[in-house]
Amino acid sequence: MSGTVTKVSGPLVVATGMADANISDVVRVGKQRLIGEILNMTGDSASIQVYEETSGLGPGAEVETTGMPMSVELGPGMLDNIYDGIQRPLPEIKSLAGDTITRGVDVPALNREKKWEFTPVAKEGDKVVAGDVLGTVQETSTILHKIMVPNGVSGTVKSITAGTFTVVETVAVVEDEAGASHELTMMQKWPVRVARPYVQKYNPSRPMNSGQRIIDTMFPIAKGGTAAIPGPFGSGKTVVQHQLAKWSDVDIVVYIGCGERGNEMTDVLMEFPELKDPRNGEPLMKRTVLIANTSDMPVAAREASIYTGITIAEYFRDMGYDVAILADSTSRWAEALREMSGRLEEMPGEEGYPAYLASRIAQFYERAGVVQCLGSDDRQGSVTAIGAVSPPGGDISEPVSQATMRIVKVFWSLDSSLAYARHFPAINWLTSYSLYLDTLRPWYTTEFGQEYMENREKAMHILQEESELNEIVRLVGIDALSPSDRLTMETAKSLREDFLQQNAFSDDDAYSSYGKQFKLLDLILRYDTYCRDALDRGADMKAMFAIDAREEVGRAKVADPEKYAEIYNEIDIKMKEQIEKVVEESAEE
Amino acid sequence: MIKEYKTIKEIASPLMIVDNVSGVTYDELAELELPNGEVRRCKVLEVEGDKAVVQLFESAQGINLAQSKVRFLGHPLELAVSEDMLGRVFNGMGAPIDGGPEILADAHMDINGLPMNPAARAYPAEFIQTGVSAIDGLNTLVRGQKLPIFSGSGLPHAALAAQIARQAKVLGDNEKFAVVFAAVGITFEESEYFINSFRETGAIDRTVIFSNLANDPAVERISTPRMALTAAEYLAFEKDMQVLVIITDITNYAEALREVSAAKKEVPGRRGYPGYMYTDLATMYERAGRRQGKNGSITMIPILSMPEDDKTHPIPDLTGYITEGQIILSRELHRKGIVPPVDVLPSLSRLKDKGTGEGKTREDHAPTMNQLFAAYSRGKDAKELMTILGEAALSDDDKLFAKFADEFEQRYVSQGNETDRSIFETLDLGWDLLRILPRTELKRIKPEMIAKYMDGQDAAKAE
């Protein structure tokens, strides 16, 4: 069944004779068999968004529906791979079409030739339901890929075979109650715009460790939570996203480069295989799926890339893994929505964005969460969604930022003035927030004692006070402050420079364990406590600010990750001695 | 067999509607022949049934609806490319205007190019020495980068761009180098400034110029940068050259884009610019880069003047989100007589970390860069405080920082348009300036490095 093109306007194509097609079906357009998706239908005419450049397409060209909605292929072979927005593997496009992405390239998402070693878990005669693990494949050195019974299938395992198979060969046969047998392969398909099912959703309760001090200690995110990173250009959004992708203690990372720079994706591609996971020493790429739809690639595929990414994330979640999905940037995705909406001549909402912008953003973030997966073994998995937002001019009053802020629970607000001062990560500690503090408090208390959160609050309080004192300093000068306020300013400076600042490009500083973060913050706050005590005993303020140990505090963040505790103890002792000395000397004078 | 249509139904410059067409495709190139034989070019923006919406590249003046003829050529706008383009001048549509012969085409390339496969890109990592300290030392340019200059009316961006084009080299390298220069809607004088600067240094023989001046048709400006980039792609990836592309002024390009969008009655985005401007600019900027297995590279320096010096205006804003950093010129520094007036704090090169360090520049590059930035930022804050409260209100350290900020502007940034500093001179100058500050404040540099470079220098001087 095929229709005929009547109108072409950029990525929007209208075709008639499409009465048999369904909304959201994937279609092939023209001789080059460009990939498209049906957005609207009026009578037998369909409005189609085409995922490739439509140059050279005209009325009369043939349109063929595949009868299937936009789907991804799920199975072994996704990790360590890089896809475009509609799950076409870019390395294979390269070997077929060269350095540029030519049109109509048709490559399956999962390699059809590659053989995987399948180890059955289920046995013949077992009763299985959707989500049950049939067997496993060691996909990469770190990840055991669980082959699950696809949704909608249940019954008795008639046969299951160990051995090496491609993703399209049958590994098991399941007979359902009606007596029909289902031949199951290691691959399943899932429509991207539909969330994958689960048994039940839970409230997040464990933090996601990112190794970033301002995140883990100040504004933590929970596994299964949602966060947004808004910021103007040059404020380091991408570096923060890369840091999260590198160091987060999740099993799988899905990184979506959505309408961003080509070189940044190349950077990830070249760097991740070199980087070692701090937890097991394996290359980080072995746990990563990359989706790259750079800004010069077709805009319609950019719209799809977000859904492709989250569907893949949900699939790994269903295996019982903790997954993080990083989308850089959701603003580009929203712009793709706006562009298609404009071409469909829909009535625009705010700033030309379609009226359904907020609901689409909410739907995306709502696919995150901690769930009990389908299957009879009660396993839990989580998807943590972190999206970058690129507000025009850094002004977060625009629709995408606002719609995002309404739904996410953590907000890491990037600030260009911090970036100019080379304070990185340029996350502003006064405007950022995390609504997971209360839910995560028990975890921190169990692991490190009550001190962890108490220290955090103390530090936040000092930083808050600093911003107020800064106003006074600006009016009347720093000498007008009382010694105790001067100390607050000094401690705040130390908190900013020695704790919050973290160099992503320094080997010793890029990742900071919870223990190290806790001890480092404690060390800085101890300085404050000692000084306050000494001030009461009449110590000279300036002399205390100038003690030698402070230089060591300044370098404490790059301390050896194995030996930090001893080093910090030594600094602590020195600090205490030197302050005592100042007290004595002040008393003598 | 190419059909001719005499069915022009409507012209509302720059758009034209042609009726009763068949076999016309999207983005196809067409020719419009006037009754007097004059031929103007145009391209298809939309086809619906037998009706085509066509965009004119030139003015609509003198077109007669009844007697003019339209021919659809069956291919998109193409550029004839060959190595002979070097040293030649073309108009915004790629036709030679220097009186020389037509180019004997080695190939015809679609000016829209194709998106580069991220898996086929090679990451830019080779340091380009521009000889300008504010760029080399603090906002390092690397091969394959796109680094725009954000300027304003009346600021000397042309002088800086010409200086970069003149001085840019890769350390210890003698590869084939070419400049592609696209003048987009600028004045004759500004264009002459560049051409003379290329001529004086002899660079003109390895330069390709595409010139759309202020009095040329505005719609043509949409094609001009793409022509230039197509030529650059050919030279870089077919002929293994290191190509530097300078496009000036992107603001004029964006305005032409807005003009066409308004004529098409599209829903406008911010400030009347079309909603797809980000994507449109990206398809241009992203053509810079390197490819695996290819020797050549495209490094791009687009220049744009920010309306009212406002960095949040859609043109600089969207550009900043696509390019790998930006060099910002400051009116305040310009007034102070700093040449070039590069405002280093908001300027940024995102790729600097890959192009600096041992084996590329020197091991002390990154730490001194961070220290200089931080110190200058603090020095500027101190100076601000000083203007409100007087010098007495500053702490001793802050006084030193204020002094540092002044010296930094005078000695480091202000080097003049003729000085060509090597990266080592730039780095040593940085150490020299850091000596103004108390040693305890140099937190961003490892003590061993301070000992090696600062004390090492001192020791060398003492001898």
Side-chain angles (χ1 to χ4, degrees), chain A residues 552-575:
Chain A
E552 288 180 54
V553 176
R555 300 188 201 287
K557 58 183 168 191
V558 293
D560 191 318
E562 304 289 322
K563 297 187 209 124
Y564 68 88
E566 295 156 41
I567 298 173
Y568 292 178
N569 267 337
E570 278 169 36
I571 301 177
D572 183 35
I573 294 166
K574 275 189 209 165
M575 213 159 64

mmCIF file of all heavy atoms in Angstrom, chain A residues 552-575:
data_model
loop_
_atom_site.group_PDB
_atom_site.id
_atom_site.type_symbol
_atom_site.label_atom_id
_atom_site.label_comp_id
_atom_site.label_asym_id
_atom_site.label_seq_id
_atom_site.Cartn_x
_atom_site.Cartn_y
_atom_site.Cartn_z
ATOM 1 N N GLU A 552 48.070 24.331 52.823
ATOM 2 C CA GLU A 552 47.877 22.887 52.670
ATOM 3 C C GLU A 552 46.405 22.536 52.522
ATOM 4 O O GLU A 552 46.046 21.598 51.813
ATOM 5 C CB GLU A 552 48.488 22.146 53.863
ATOM 6 C CG GLU A 552 50.000 22.169 53.838
ATOM 7 C CD GLU A 552 50.592 21.435 55.017
ATOM 8 O OE1 GLU A 552 50.238 20.258 55.226
ATOM 9 O OE2 GLU A 552 51.389 22.062 55.747
ATOM 10 N N VAL A 553 45.550 23.298 53.208
ATOM 11 C CA VAL A 553 44.109 23.093 53.030
ATOM 12 C C VAL A 553 43.757 23.344 51.567
ATOM 13 O O VAL A 553 42.984 22.613 50.943
ATOM 14 C CB VAL A 553 43.290 24.033 53.946
ATOM 15 C CG1 VAL A 553 41.805 23.884 53.688
ATOM 16 C CG2 VAL A 553 43.599 23.752 55.409
ATOM 17 N N GLY A 554 44.370 24.392 51.009
ATOM 18 C CA GLY A 554 44.111 24.746 49.613
ATOM 19 C C GLY A 554 44.477 23.638 48.647
ATOM 20 O O GLY A 554 43.893 23.513 47.577
ATOM 21 N N ARG A 555 45.445 22.827 49.029
ATOM 22 C CA ARG A 555 45.854 21.748 48.133
ATOM 23 C C ARG A 555 45.275 20.397 48.550
ATOM 24 O O ARG A 555 45.574 19.383 47.931
ATOM 25 C CB ARG A 555 47.380 21.645 48.101
ATOM 26 C CG ARG A 555 48.040 22.922 47.618
ATOM 27 C CD ARG A 555 49.528 22.766 47.410
ATOM 28 N NE ARG A 555 50.198 24.053 47.425
ATOM 29 C CZ ARG A 555 50.120 24.938 46.430
ATOM 30 N NH1 ARG A 555 49.426 24.648 45.352
ATOM 31 N NH2 ARG A 555 50.731 26.100 46.518
ATOM 32 N N ALA A 556 44.462 20.417 49.607
ATOM 33 C CA ALA A 556 43.969 19.151 50.156
ATOM 34 C C ALA A 556 43.090 18.388 49.169
ATOM 35 O O ALA A 556 43.046 17.161 49.171
ATOM 36 C CB ALA A 556 43.191 19.409 51.442
ATOM 37 N N LYS A 557 42.397 19.100 48.280
ATOM 38 C CA LYS A 557 41.463 18.395 47.404
ATOM 39 C C LYS A 557 42.163 17.480 46.414
ATOM 40 O O LYS A 557 41.562 16.537 45.914
ATOM 41 C CB LYS A 557 40.537 19.367 46.686
ATOM 42 C CG LYS A 557 41.216 20.407 45.846
ATOM 43 C CD LYS A 557 40.149 21.326 45.261
ATOM 44 C CE LYS A 557 40.771 22.579 44.650
ATOM 45 N NZ LYS A 557 39.771 23.575 44.328
ATOM 46 N N VAL A 558 43.431 17.753 46.128
ATOM 47 C CA VAL A 558 44.141 16.865 45.196
ATOM 48 C C VAL A 558 44.902 15.760 45.933
ATOM 49 O O VAL A 558 45.723 15.070 45.342
ATOM 50 C CB VAL A 558 45.108 17.643 44.267
ATOM 51 C CG1 VAL A 558 44.329 18.519 43.324
ATOM 52 C CG2 VAL A 558 46.114 18.469 45.048
ATOM 53 N N ALA A 559 44.590 15.586 47.231
ATOM 54 C CA ALA A 559 45.287 14.546 47.999
ATOM 55 C C ALA A 559 45.008 13.167 47.412
ATOM 56 O O ALA A 559 43.941 12.918 46.834
ATOM 57 C CB ALA A 559 44.831 14.595 49.451
ATOM 58 N N ASP A 560 45.980 12.291 47.577
ATOM 59 C CA ASP A 560 45.873 10.921 47.097
ATOM 60 C C ASP A 560 44.579 10.269 47.599
ATOM 61 O O ASP A 560 44.305 10.266 48.800
ATOM 62 C CB ASP A 560 47.093 10.156 47.645
ATOM 63 C CG ASP A 560 47.239 8.793 47.000
ATOM 64 O OD1 ASP A 560 46.202 8.125 46.835
ATOM 65 O OD2 ASP A 560 48.375 8.416 46.671
ATOM 66 N N PRO A 561 43.766 9.706 46.704
ATOM 67 C CA PRO A 561 42.487 9.122 47.134
ATOM 68 C C PRO A 561 42.649 7.979 48.126
ATOM 69 O O PRO A 561 41.732 7.638 48.859
ATOM 70 C CB PRO A 561 41.843 8.646 45.829
ATOM 71 C CG PRO A 561 42.865 8.789 44.761
ATOM 72 C CD PRO A 561 43.927 9.706 45.242
ATOM 73 N N GLU A 562 43.829 7.370 48.172
ATOM 74 C CA GLU A 562 44.043 6.258 49.106
ATOM 75 C C GLU A 562 44.413 6.773 50.498
ATOM 76 O O GLU A 562 44.097 6.162 51.503
ATOM 77 C CB GLU A 562 45.195 5.364 48.602
ATOM 78 C CG GLU A 562 45.005 4.816 47.203
ATOM 79 C CD GLU A 562 43.919 3.754 47.151
ATOM 80 O OE1 GLU A 562 43.834 2.971 48.108
ATOM 81 O OE2 GLU A 562 43.134 3.735 46.174
ATOM 82 N N LYS A 563 45.143 7.896 50.519
ATOM 83 C CA LYS A 563 45.748 8.309 51.787
ATOM 84 C C LYS A 563 45.153 9.594 52.341
ATOM 85 O O LYS A 563 45.716 10.198 53.255
ATOM 86 C CB LYS A 563 47.257 8.512 51.584
ATOM 87 C CG LYS A 563 47.976 7.247 51.183
ATOM 88 C CD LYS A 563 49.476 7.498 51.162
ATOM 89 C CE LYS A 563 50.181 6.619 50.159
ATOM 90 N NZ LYS A 563 50.967 7.354 49.183
ATOM 91 N N TYR A 564 44.043 10.055 51.772
ATOM 92 C CA TYR A 564 43.558 11.385 52.160
ATOM 93 C C TYR A 564 43.303 11.526 53.655
ATOM 94 O O TYR A 564 43.583 12.551 54.255
ATOM 95 C CB TYR A 564 42.313 11.752 51.357
ATOM 96 C CG TYR A 564 41.096 10.911 51.678
ATOM 97 C CD1 TYR A 564 40.239 11.295 52.701
ATOM 98 C CD2 TYR A 564 40.806 9.751 50.970
ATOM 99 C CE1 TYR A 564 39.138 10.525 53.015
ATOM 100 C CE2 TYR A 564 39.720 8.981 51.275
ATOM 101 C CZ TYR A 564 38.891 9.369 52.298
ATOM 102 O OH TYR A 564 37.805 8.615 52.620
ATOM 103 N N ALA A 565 42.801 10.426 54.279
ATOM 104 C CA ALA A 565 42.403 10.532 55.684
ATOM 105 C C ALA A 565 43.597 10.917 56.552
ATOM 106 O O ALA A 565 43.503 11.820 57.395
ATOM 107 C CB ALA A 565 41.792 9.229 56.158
ATOM 108 N N GLU A 566 44.748 10.251 56.312
ATOM 109 C CA GLU A 566 45.943 10.581 57.098
ATOM 110 C C GLU A 566 46.387 12.006 56.829
ATOM 111 O O GLU A 566 46.689 12.760 57.747
ATOM 112 C CB GLU A 566 47.109 9.654 56.712
ATOM 113 C CG GLU A 566 46.876 8.203 57.040
ATOM 114 C CD GLU A 566 47.725 7.301 56.164
ATOM 115 O OE1 GLU A 566 48.902 7.648 55.939
ATOM 116 O OE2 GLU A 566 47.193 6.282 55.683
ATOM 117 N N ILE A 567 46.409 12.363 55.532
ATOM 118 C CA ILE A 567 46.880 13.704 55.164
ATOM 119 C C ILE A 567 46.019 14.764 55.839
ATOM 120 O O ILE A 567 46.526 15.717 56.426
ATOM 121 C CB ILE A 567 46.849 13.877 53.636
ATOM 122 C CG1 ILE A 567 47.801 12.867 52.985
ATOM 123 C CG2 ILE A 567 47.235 15.294 53.236
ATOM 124 C CD1 ILE A 567 47.742 12.807 51.478
ATOM 125 N N TYR A 568 44.699 14.561 55.796
ATOM 126 C CA TYR A 568 43.804 15.552 56.389
ATOM 127 C C TYR A 568 44.012 15.637 57.893
ATOM 128 O O TYR A 568 43.958 16.714 58.485
ATOM 129 C CB TYR A 568 42.340 15.239 56.073
ATOM 130 C CG TYR A 568 41.975 15.401 54.610
ATOM 131 C CD1 TYR A 568 40.694 15.109 54.145
ATOM 132 C CD2 TYR A 568 42.908 15.863 53.683
ATOM 133 C CE1 TYR A 568 40.373 15.251 52.811
ATOM 134 C CE2 TYR A 568 42.599 16.009 52.351
ATOM 135 C CZ TYR A 568 41.330 15.691 51.913
ATOM 136 O OH TYR A 568 41.005 15.836 50.592
ATOM 137 N N ASN A 569 44.276 14.466 58.517
ATOM 138 C CA ASN A 569 44.525 14.475 59.962
ATOM 139 C C ASN A 569 45.760 15.293 60.297
ATOM 140 O O ASN A 569 45.763 16.082 61.236
ATOM 141 C CB ASN A 569 44.716 13.043 60.468
ATOM 142 C CG ASN A 569 43.398 12.478 60.937
ATOM 143 O OD1 ASN A 569 42.491 13.239 61.274
ATOM 144 N ND2 ASN A 569 43.290 11.157 60.948
ATOM 145 N N GLU A 570 46.793 15.088 59.469
ATOM 146 C CA GLU A 570 48.027 15.841 59.698
ATOM 147 C C GLU A 570 47.775 17.339 59.580
ATOM 148 O O GLU A 570 48.222 18.126 60.415
ATOM 149 C CB GLU A 570 49.093 15.446 58.680
ATOM 150 C CG GLU A 570 49.828 14.175 59.044
ATOM 151 C CD GLU A 570 50.684 13.695 57.875
ATOM 152 O OE1 GLU A 570 51.240 14.552 57.151
ATOM 153 O OE2 GLU A 570 50.758 12.467 57.678
ATOM 154 N N ILE A 571 47.047 17.718 58.524
ATOM 155 C CA ILE A 571 46.761 19.152 58.328
ATOM 156 C C ILE A 571 45.978 19.679 59.525
ATOM 157 O O ILE A 571 46.252 20.762 60.041
ATOM 158 C CB ILE A 571 45.960 19.392 57.021
ATOM 159 C CG1 ILE A 571 46.744 18.868 55.818
ATOM 160 C CG2 ILE A 571 45.671 20.871 56.832
ATOM 161 C CD1 ILE A 571 46.003 18.996 54.492
ATOM 162 N N ASP A 572 45.038 18.872 59.976
ATOM 163 C CA ASP A 572 44.195 19.273 61.098
ATOM 164 C C ASP A 572 45.060 19.562 62.322
ATOM 165 O O ASP A 572 44.897 20.584 62.994
ATOM 166 C CB ASP A 572 43.181 18.159 61.388
ATOM 167 C CG ASP A 572 42.227 18.542 62.499
ATOM 168 O OD1 ASP A 572 41.877 19.738 62.570
ATOM 169 O OD2 ASP A 572 41.842 17.654 63.278
ATOM 170 N N ILE A 573 46.015 18.661 62.577
ATOM 171 C CA ILE A 573 46.880 18.835 63.747
ATOM 172 C C ILE A 573 47.719 20.102 63.594
ATOM 173 O O ILE A 573 47.797 20.931 64.498
ATOM 174 C CB ILE A 573 47.784 17.591 63.932
ATOM 175 C CG1 ILE A 573 46.893 16.387 64.290
ATOM 176 C CG2 ILE A 573 48.837 17.826 64.991
ATOM 177 C CD1 ILE A 573 47.583 15.054 64.181
ATOM 178 N N LYS A 574 48.299 20.278 62.398
ATOM 179 C CA LYS A 574 49.124 21.469 62.147
ATOM 180 C C LYS A 574 48.314 22.743 62.339
ATOM 181 O O LYS A 574 48.747 23.698 62.965
ATOM 182 C CB LYS A 574 49.653 21.445 60.710
ATOM 183 C CG LYS A 574 50.911 20.640 60.542
ATOM 184 C CD LYS A 574 51.477 20.869 59.145
ATOM 185 C CE LYS A 574 52.233 19.646 58.683
ATOM 186 N NZ LYS A 574 52.497 19.650 57.258
ATOM 187 N N MET A 575 47.098 22.712 61.784
ATOM 188 C CA MET A 575 46.224 23.875 61.843
ATOM 189 C C MET A 575 45.989 24.267 63.296
ATOM 190 O O MET A 575 46.121 25.422 63.681
ATOM 191 C CB MET A 575 44.902 23.478 61.181
ATOM 192 C CG MET A 575 44.185 24.557 60.455
ATOM 193 S SD MET A 575 43.024 23.819 59.266
ATOM 194 C CE MET A 575 41.891 22.958 60.332
#
